[in-house]
Amino acid sequence: MLRHLLPAAALFGAALITACAQTGAVPATTLAVPAEPEAGWRPFSADSPWNTKIPADARIDPKSDVLVADVGAAGSFYVNMPEWSVLVKYIDSSQAPKLPVRALYEGRYGPGFEPGKRVPLPADTLPEDATSAQRYYVTLVDPARNLAWDTRQLGRTEEGEWFAGFGAAVDLSGTGVAMPWMKAERADLSGGARPSGAPLMAGLLRVDEVKAGRIDHALAFAYPLAQTGKFLPPASMALDAPGKASERPIGLPMGARIQLDPAFDIDNTLLSPGAKTVAKALQEYGAILVDTAGATVLYAESGPEQLAKWEGVLAPGDLQSLFTTDFIATHFRVIDTGEPLPGVPRPVK
């Protein structure tokens, strides 16, 4: 089932990545510099909107009923894993080779990926057998230094040259919120791998926290009917529409936050233990819109190491028995976080 929508340029990039994956393969053990986060590690600062609970007296959006019905219209909540999620590779960046990454689309790059910059890239960053969907979002994370290098459409040519559709370095000790695009020297400098500008680690379900039974941050979600041309912080950019036919002036803008009714009794449901942990995070912290997708989805870390660990902890369909279209429409609400900001204007043709 298709869980993500790709623009034409992205389809081209994905095809190129697939082609490159079939050549110039490097043994997985070569130049590997793995690292593991310490127990209790959490990206971003305590005051980050990603790590802030929704207050009991939070204002509800006046159009909440209509908007959450829109969210549920695409079907039950699904957890993207392994495809169309984020391939996470934890590394010791001080030991990794530093290499340039060419912009797949001329002039499109974020902070830390400018021409002349070098990025820590172990030779085994991309698994040889991964599909283009699994490779679409890749982040290299140094948990000891709280740094990450987010990429979209990461790949490598036969000659060993790395390229990406977009790349951005992220300070994981900060708030996880880039300045709005209109305040940046160049709009892309406030961008990220996702169309919302949100870092790839923001809102990501992590194996260790679900296994421990406690998630202390908001979750990242996507759905098909997101609004274009508007955004709310913690997003820094809006979902763009390549043509008038794809514009959508209604729906949730990037950065909008939804919440599962805190009064709903999760413990007395038939959800798996892992799904109950996810549901309780949706009550305490909610979920923030970061992307558009072919279904209503959450995102889980999906590197090869994590995929092996998810077995018996959480499965892609574990939420679907309860989080149906009707349930989403009646038990979720949209938090009012202010007036949306405009997206980057498109040139008039």
Side-chain angles (χ1 to χ4, degrees):
M1 180 175 182
L2 181 63
R3 298 290 177 187
H4 209 287
L5 302 179
L6 286 174
L11 288 171
F12 166 77
L16 179 56
I17 292 169
T18 302
C20 291
Q22 296 170 351
T23 58
V26 178
T29 55
T30 306
L31 295 179
V33 284
E36 288 293 334
E38 293 184 0
W41 178 79
R42 180 176 70 166
F44 310 116
S45 58
D47 63 347
S48 164
W50 290 99
N51 294 334
T52 304
K53 291 182 180 180
I54 297 172
D57 60 351
R59 291 191 305 171
I60 308 304
D61 191 291
K63 297 177 289 190
S64 179
D65 289 351
V66 174
L67 291 168
V68 291
D70 215 24
V71 172
S76 305
F77 255 124
Y78 182 87
V79 180
N80 271 1
M81 134 198 351
E83 295 194 320
W84 301 124
S85 198
V86 180
L87 192 160
V88 180
K89 187 169 185 65
Y90 293 103
I91 64 168
D92 177 349
S93 62
S94 68
Q95 300 299 313
K98 311 300 189 295
L99 301 168
V101 178
R102 175 173 59 82
L104 187 57
Y105 309 110
E106 188 175 357
R108 294 297 310 276
Y109 50 81
F113 279 74
E114 297 91 344
K117 292 278 189 178
R118 290 177 172 261
V119 174
L121 275 167
D124 65 336
T125 294
L126 295 178
E128 294 174 30
D129 59 349
T131 66
S132 58
Q134 290 171 309
R135 297 163 178 267
Y136 191 69
Y137 287 134
V138 177
T139 185
L140 296 113
V141 177
D142 186 332
R145 295 169 179 79
N146 274 320
L147 297 172
W149 292 266
D150 290 354
T151 64
R152 178 175 68 240
Q153 297 168 270
L154 181 67
R156 194 165 67 172
T157 66
E158 289 184 44
E159 293 75 26
E161 179 188 22
W162 289 92
F163 59 87
F166 195 83
V170 180
D171 177 6
L172 297 179
S173 64
T175 62
V177 184
M179 70 174 69
W181 69 268
M182 66 281 288
K183 294 185 178 181
E185 181 181 344
R186 182 171 59 84
D188 278 354
L189 293 178
S190 69
R194 296 194 186 280
S196 59
L200 292 178
M201 286 301 292
L204 200 63
L205 290 167
R206 296 176 50 237
V207 182
D208 291 346
E209 60 191 4
V210 177
K211 189 180 289 188
R214 179 73 188 168
I215 299 172
D216 280 315
H217 59 79
L219 307 185
F221 89 102
Y223 80 117
L225 304 176
Q227 184 180 14
T228 58
K230 297 285 182 67
F231 71 97
L232 289 162
S236 58
M237 305 189 88
L239 178 65
D240 189 25
K244 283 191 176 295
S246 57
E247 289 180 0
R248 194 165 192 273
I250 58 176
L252 291 171
M254 291 293 114
R257 189 186 295 243
I258 62 173
Q259 180 187 28
L260 172 60
D261 181 359
F264 186 83
D265 187 359
I266 289 295
D267 287 323
N268 287 319
T269 67
L270 297 178
L271 289 176
S272 69
K276 287 180 179 178
T277 298
V278 173
K280 289 176 181 178
L282 289 170
Q283 290 180 312
E284 288 187 84
Y285 292 90
I288 296 172
L289 184 63
V290 298
D291 211 335
T292 185
T296 305
V297 300
L298 300 173
Y299 293 91
E301 59 178 356
S302 294
E305 298 84 359
Q306 298 102 42
L307 289 175
K309 294 178 182 178
W310 278 122
E311 188 70 32
V313 177
L314 186 70
D318 274 4
L319 292 167
Q320 291 184 305
S321 62
L322 178 64
F323 287 72
T324 62
T325 293
D326 289 342
F327 182 88
I328 294 169
T330 55
H331 293 285
F332 274 80
R333 57 200 192 183
V334 178
I335 303 301
D336 186 346
T337 55
E339 192 66 27
L341 301 172
V344 181
R346 294 199 308 278
V348 177
K349 296 184 179 178

